[in-house]
Amino acid sequence: MDEFLIEGQQPLNGTIEINGSKNSGLPILIATLLTDEECVINKVPDLRDIQTTFQLLKYLGKSVEYKNHTVTIKSDKPLKYAAPYELVKQMRASILVAGPLLARLKKTQVPLPGGCAIGLRPIDIHLKGFEEFGAKTTNVRGDILISVDKLVPTRFRMEFPSVGATENLIMCATLMPGKTILSGVAKEPEIDDLMDFLNKMGANVKKHEPDEIIIEGKPSLGGATHTLIPDRIETGTFLIAGAITGGNITLANCRVDHLKSVIDVLEYSGAKISADGDTISVSGPKDRPRPVNVNTLPHPGFPTDLQAPWMSYMCIAKGKSKIEEDIFENRFIHTAELARMGANILVDGKTALIEGVESLNGASVMASDIRGGAALVVATLCAKGQSVVQRSYHIDRGYEKIEDKLSKLGARITRQKSK
Ligand code: UD1
């Protein structure tokens, strides 16, 4: 197992390029199950979750060729309808194969993803949607079997704007003849990217009301070539890393319009942000940051995936701040590790109260999920002395070679084998 060794208090400086979005990449790769024709996707980040998706696609009958961040996906064998537990348990997003496989084969079987470090994360909204489309869902020894004679387009309102359920149901509806109207949908930029790709494949998916998507089903879809949007969560993590070290960094390949809520709070904290086309620059505050309260919300609100890195930043703010986590039930696991570094945080249910300290101290800490792990790296960058972040494989699920990018910005960080 690998870990990161970090020598803190080194202001970051310089320029790096942001990768294509992991959270766009996963559904878009899975959407290739909707066609037998060749698809080419560019700017696909080299991440553990992406590799897991490649394995899943190969298992289900696709051939996958990945080189220089471009993947070519072709049909190799007839599609299988069931996803294996071994792969689904590594990555919850595997549930997204249900929509395309149900649409193509009228039957799919996907193991229930189970709990994960950040909470229970049920899939009831996905299943309710498939049932509204006429499918039957049965729990077979921990797997969900979804089957249907004929899919029926309908109007379905989601009780919560789940990102995954929106993606799953859109993909299924692209091959359901007739008009499907999904309302109460998620508005994350990754949904727009998926819709863009599906329309390139010949689908007819469009936004109607702000929270409504209309899909006119087609008998079949074709191949397409697509470039993933920049990863707004990687961008946000590096912006916070630049600010917490009092550095001055520029990020290329960004979408400023996807990060408004993050830029607003960073500016309020005293960081200076400037944007020019697809680049964003941040200069950290001269002094300790000003405390800023945030609560996580569906897009365009502050993203839950940046809550943990933001908490690291607020740990050294000049005063008290509050974070409310309104998306996931248990997303404060990183607080105990930050406390090992001298942070002063009180968690009460969905709320964390942070009393900023003068500085954090280096320590050995352990990552337990992707973004919580990234938050620990961000915190160690500004901490006094040496730190070790154990279980770096969590961070590798969402950040491609984070140590190389940070080193390029002047951080003293190396990857080593755990003792
Ligand atoms: C996606 C992102 C993840 C991000 C999250 C919220 C990917 C691969 N992952 O995850 O990084 O943190 O959006 O922005 O894109 N819920 C239910 N029932 C359901 C579905 C969801 O209760 O059927 C709940 C979940 O438990 C959670 C909340 O809704 O509390 C948000 O989940 P959802 O939007 O579905 O997130 P994911 O698609 O899993």
Side-chain angles (χ1 to χ4, degrees):
M1 223 185 280
D2 288 356
E3 60 188 23
F4 293 127
L5 178 69
I6 298 138
E7 194 72 50
Q9 293 200 314
Q10 190 68 29
L12 301 186
N13 275 294
T15 303
I16 52 159
E17 184 165 332
I18 294 300
N19 279 61
S21 161
K22 166 181 91 78
N23 285 355
S24 269
L26 302 180
I28 285 174
L29 292 172
I30 289 173
T32 64
L33 292 169
L34 290 163
T35 181
D36 284 334
E37 291 182 19
E38 179 178 301
C39 294
V40 178
I41 322 289
N42 301 310
K43 293 214 185 226
V44 179
D46 191 359
L47 301 170
R48 268 191 56 212
D49 279 10
I50 294 286
Q51 294 291 348
T52 307
T53 309
F54 291 163
Q55 284 181 49
L56 191 58
L57 291 175
K58 284 184 197 164
Y59 176 90
L60 293 170
K62 292 286 187 182
S63 76
V64 175
E65 216 183 280
Y66 183 51
K67 213 171 152 192
N68 300 330
H69 290 127
T70 291
V71 62
T72 305
I73 300 175
K74 298 182 194 166
S75 282
D76 195 23
K77 297 184 238 50
L79 284 182
K80 285 190 181 140
Y81 73 94
Y85 180 58
E86 274 320 300
L87 294 176
V88 175
K89 76 175 183 200
Q90 290 177 41
M91 187 186 66
R92 284 186 47 84
S94 316
I95 181 69
L96 296 179
V97 301
L101 292 177
L102 182 66
R104 293 215 55 199
L105 307 173
K106 306 286 174 281
K107 177 163 114 167
T108 181
Q109 187 164 335
V110 188
L112 276 171
C116 70
I118 61 174
L120 207 55
R121 300 182 79 175
I123 54 161
D124 54 315
I125 305 169
H126 303 236
L127 299 183
K128 226 177 258 172
F130 293 136
E131 283 165 5
E132 289 291 319
F133 294 170
K136 237 180 38 202
T137 61
T138 332
N139 186 331
V140 185
R141 295 161 52 84
D143 285 10
I144 289 289
L145 176 66
I146 312 168
S147 58
V148 69
D149 290 333
K150 188 172 182 293
L151 287 162
V152 192
T154 184
R155 177 184 271 275
F156 175 62
R157 167 161 279 278
M158 291 194 245
E159 65 201 46
F160 178 84
S162 155
V163 175
T166 304
E167 293 165 344
N168 227 340
L169 298 175
I170 292 176
M171 287 192 280
C172 186
T174 56
L175 289 179
M176 276 163 43
K179 189 198 263 190
T180 301
I181 303 175
L182 300 175
S183 51
V185 294
K187 300 190 204 79
E188 270 63 9
E190 293 76 22
I191 306 277
D192 293 332
D193 206 22
L194 172 65
M195 286 170 45
D196 197 14
F197 177 62
L198 292 168
N199 287 331
K200 288 179 186 167
M201 293 173 84
N204 184 353
V205 185
K206 48 180 183 276
K207 280 193 172 168
H208 182 48
E209 300 293 324
D211 74 339
E212 211 164 77
I213 290 172
I214 299 183
I215 306 119
E216 299 271 3
K218 293 286 174 79
S220 65
L221 298 184
T225 297
H226 184 74
T227 300
L228 299 179
I229 55 169
D231 195 309
R232 66 192 167 101
I233 306 301
E234 189 192 22
T235 313
T237 305
F238 276 98
L239 287 177
I240 296 170
I244 202 172
T245 61
N248 194 335
I249 64 171
T250 298
L251 308 174
N253 187 39
C254 300
R255 282 285 296 262
V256 183
D257 53 327
H258 293 168
L259 282 151
K260 199 173 169 321
S261 61
V262 180
I263 291 173
D264 282 354
V265 288
L266 270 167
E267 284 183 327
Y268 199 75
S269 77
K272 295 226 165 3
I273 308 274
S274 57
D276 181 11
D278 73 348
T279 66
I280 307 182
S281 302
V282 60
S283 313
K286 292 280 159 281
D287 196 1
R288 286 164 61 193
R290 194 186 299 161
V292 190
N293 298 341
V294 302
N295 60 328
T296 65
L297 287 169
H299 194 75
F302 189 89
T304 171
D305 286 348
L306 287 173
Q307 177 260 106
W310 181 260
M311 181 183 281
S312 298
Y313 185 42
M314 287 297 101
C315 284
I316 57 156
K318 219 172 185 172
K320 290 181 191 167
S321 62
K322 186 164 88 171
I323 296 181
E324 259 190 62
E325 173 54 63
D326 284 327
I327 305 293
F328 289 105
E329 55 173 342
N330 183 26
R331 210 172 192 181
F332 285 137
I333 332 158
H334 46 280
T335 54
E337 301 299 303
L338 290 172
R340 287 172 55 76
M341 301 177 70
N344 186 352
I345 307 163
L346 186 72
V347 172
D348 180 12
K350 296 191 318 180
T351 308
L353 298 170
I354 306 146
E355 168 107 52
V357 294
E358 183 83 34
S359 67
L360 294 172
N361 302 313
S364 268
V365 288
M366 190 183 284
S368 50
D369 67 281
I370 309 180
R371 310 303 173 187
L376 296 179
V377 171
V378 165
T380 60
L381 291 173
C382 78
K384 272 193 202 145
Q386 207 175 65
S387 297
V388 174
V389 179
Q390 296 172 4
R391 301 203 175 164
S392 56
Y393 63 88
H394 285 294
I395 300 161
D396 296 336
R397 285 186 58 196
Y399 298 85
E400 183 180 323
K401 299 205 182 92
I402 196 171
E403 72 278 23
D404 287 1
K405 288 194 177 177
L406 286 169
S407 297
K408 200 169 169 217
L409 295 173
R412 284 174 292 192
I413 173 169
T414 46
R415 185 185 285 264
Q416 61 184 24
K417 291 274 166 234
S418 311
K419 291 180 189 99

